[in-house]
């Protein structure tokens, strides 16, 4: 059609990529095309760059399957694993919505964002960025326990004081 475009593509050699096409024209006629692309599958440079620059984990999904990720499980990148949270899969891949919220990934709590990747109206995958909040949640739980313990000790102290004071006053 003689127009520039960009698309996400899947294939046998390169599992998932983004490509841009631009026509080469001479005297108004298309005589060729320039194609540039980036392999998104197993592209640790891209997701590791996000992790380095933002301090957040990053993943590229083809459908609901991780094709490139900075998430490491048992010493290996979690490539080839599916997103287990079906509510997020439905919201992002089926409804085309951006998702912001907490999600547990591989036993750790993350504050997350998921964004659909589209070819026109077709959703072909999604991207993820998330910050591990497990330590913050553990610290919050420890503070709640300390406050509860301090409250219980205070309650016991004041109950003992009230009991002692009632004994003194009734004599």
């Amino acid at each position: 059609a003689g127009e520039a475009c960009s698309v996400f593509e899947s294939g046998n050699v390169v599992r998932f990529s983004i490509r841009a096409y631009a026509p080469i024209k001479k005297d108004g006629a298309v005589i060729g095309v320039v194609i540039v692309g980036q392999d998104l599958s197993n592209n640790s440079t891209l997701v590791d760059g996000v992790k380095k620059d933002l301090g957040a984990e990053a993943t590229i999904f083809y459908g609901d399957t991780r094709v490139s990720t900075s998430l490491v499980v048992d010493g290996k990148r979690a490539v080839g694993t599916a997103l287990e949270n079906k509510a997020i899969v439905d919201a992002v891949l089926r409804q085309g919505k951006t998702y912001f919220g907490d999600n547990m990934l591989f036993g750790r709590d993350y504050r997350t964002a998921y964004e659909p990747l589209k070819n026109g109206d077709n959703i072909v995958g999604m991207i993820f960025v998330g910050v591990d909040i497990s330590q913050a949640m553990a610290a919050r739980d420890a503070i709640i326990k300390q406050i509860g313990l301090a409250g219980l000790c205070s309650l016991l102290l004041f109950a003992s004081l009230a009991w002692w004071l009632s004994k003194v006053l009734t004599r």
Side-chain angles (χ1 to χ4, degrees), residues 56-114:
E57 301 293 347
T59 299
I60 300 169
F61 289 86
Y62 176 58
D64 68 349
T65 303
R66 293 173 180 88
V67 294
S68 184
T69 186
S70 62
L71 290 167
V72 175
V73 179
D74 298 328
K76 293 194 277 189
R77 290 182 190 263
V79 172
T81 59
L83 179 61
E84 293 178 353
N85 188 317
K86 299 306 178 197
I88 296 173
V89 169
D90 183 59
V92 179
L93 293 180
R94 290 177 186 69
Q95 298 176 34
K97 296 179 180 176
T98 300
Y99 174 87
F100 295 102
D102 294 342
N103 190 22
M104 181 164 286
L105 301 168
F106 307 107
R108 300 186 68 85
D109 291 313
Y110 286 85
R111 179 88 10 104
T112 64
Y114 293 83

Side-chain angles (χ1 to χ4, degrees), residues 14 20 40 46 52 55 58 67 82 109 115 141 149 164 168 170:
V14 176
L40 297 176
L46 183 61
K52 180 182 174 220
V67 294
D109 291 313
E115 179 75 22
D141 293 345
L149 186 59
W164 177 78
V168 169
T170 56

Side-chain angles (χ1 to χ4, degrees), residues 2-5 21-25 30-34:
E3 298 291 324
C5 67
Y21 299 86
I24 300 172
K25 295 181 181 181
V30 177
I31 60 169
V33 64
V34 174

Side-chain angles (χ1 to χ4, degrees), residues 34-55:
V34 174
I35 305 169
V36 295
Q38 177 70 47
D39 182 357
L40 297 176
S41 52
N42 291 316
N43 186 339
S44 60
T45 304
L46 183 61
V47 293
D48 289 347
V50 170
K51 186 172 183 172
K52 180 182 174 220
D53 293 344
L54 300 179

